[in-house]
Amino acid sequence: QKEVEQNSGPLSVPEGAIASLNCTYSDRGSQSFFWYRQYSGKSPELIMFIYSNGDKEDGRFTAQLNKASQYVSLLIRDSQPSDSATYLCAVNTLTGGGNKLTFGTGTQLKVEL
Amino acid sequence: DAGITQSPRYKITETGRQVTLMCHQTWSHSYMFWYRQDLGHGLRLIYYSAAADITDKGEVPDGYVVSRSKTENFPLTLESATRSQTSVYFCASSEQGASPLHFGNGTRLTVT
């Protein structure tokens, strides 16, 4: 089982719809969770981070964390063509060797006109 | 401008040659990281550094060497490049070990 799993997609949604991106992780001790957006040929950029169970909202973006189910998601409301990118989930776990950040392979999102 | 800068942006080299990728950050972040990104594997950690003169291996360190004599610089050296090291390399920094990462623009390396 991969430590951080994401559906590779592509996930296609119409403009104006809600895009739901999902991520599961294997280590119950994981403490912090990040969503990065990566446009083709560009570097990842931070979208959201969440540490506690529940929802965290920032503009059109909402991160949801359920530690019991080991599940973190990113909702994008009113999706725009400019949201078309690959979204990377990253999970941080404190180990004996220090913090360990593991990335999923990403979900490609396509927002269609 | 504050930020994290990688150089070169593109590099083509031959098998067996030594190559050094540069990374410079102006935030005075304690932590710096080197990742490689390949299709199907996502981002994989090569090496990281918690502070000047402190470095540690990541998930895929073989064939790479790093140093950090100054807080702001974290060069990555491929001692004898192999075709399997063809990849996009990202340098990143963070204030603390669990803080969000800030990525450089990446170096696309091709080993022929």
Side-chain angles (χ1 to χ4, degrees):
Chain A
Q1 181 188 6
K2 289 185 179 178
E3 293 180 59
V4 179
E5 292 208 53
Q6 297 181 256
N7 189 320
S8 61
L11 172 66
S12 294
V13 299
E15 184 178 6
I18 296 175
S20 178
L21 304 162
N22 304 316
C23 173
T24 58
Y25 59 95
S26 61
D27 193 328
R28 286 196 170 274
S30 298
Q31 300 173 317
S32 48
F33 307 85
F34 306 87
W35 283 100
Y36 290 85
R37 178 177 63 198
Q38 187 175 24
Y39 292 114
S40 181
K42 302 295 185 182
S43 58
E45 55 179 331
L46 182 71
I47 298 295
M48 298 262 323
F49 59 89
I50 187 167
Y51 300 141
S52 304
N53 272 332
D55 295 359
K56 179 181 179 183
E57 185 175 320
D58 184 1
R60 295 187 296 113
F61 299 95
T62 298
Q64 299 176 317
L65 175 60
N66 184 327
K67 288 188 176 181
S69 299
Q70 296 174 238
Y71 177 96
V72 57
S73 64
L74 179 71
L75 301 179
I76 306 174
R77 290 181 298 280
D78 188 24
S79 295
Q80 301 297 310
S82 59
D83 294 326
S84 297
T86 296
Y87 290 79
L88 305 174
C89 172
V91 175
N92 189 76
T93 307
L94 183 60
T95 70
N99 287 287
K100 179 183 177 184
L101 184 68
T102 304
F103 283 86
T105 54
T107 297
Q108 184 183 7
L109 173 66
K110 292 185 176 181
V111 180
E112 299 168 334
L113 296 171
Chain B
D1 288 341
I4 182 165
T5 306
Q6 292 184 237
S7 62
R9 289 297 310 276
Y10 303 92
K11 177 73 176 178
I12 300 174
T13 191
E14 295 177 341
T15 300
R17 290 194 180 268
Q18 183 180 82
V19 176
T20 296
L21 309 184
M22 304 301 292
C23 180
H24 176 79
Q25 55 106 353
T26 59
W27 288 303
S28 299
H29 284 169
S30 295
Y31 282 78
M32 295 188 74
F33 306 82
W34 275 106
Y35 287 89
R36 60 178 290 174
Q37 188 173 38
D38 306 285
L39 278 174
H41 291 283
L43 284 161
R44 292 182 292 174
L45 182 64
I46 303 170
Y47 269 96
Y48 69 98
S49 168
D53 297 322
I54 300 174
T55 62
D56 210 344
K57 296 178 180 179
E59 181 185 355
V60 288
D62 293 344
Y64 303 95
V65 175
V66 294
S67 62
R68 193 157 177 218
S69 57
K70 294 183 178 181
T71 300
E72 61 266 31
N73 296 325
F74 191 39
L76 175 73
T77 298
L78 289 67
E79 293 186 297
S80 178
T82 65
R83 290 194 181 90
S84 65
Q85 292 176 311
T86 292
S87 186
V88 179
Y89 291 84
F90 288 104
C91 179
S93 70
S94 68
E95 288 185 78
Q96 299 173 19
S99 301
L101 300 181
H102 300 268
F103 285 87
N105 287 332
T107 294
R108 183 175 293 274
L109 176 68
T110 301
V111 182
T112 63

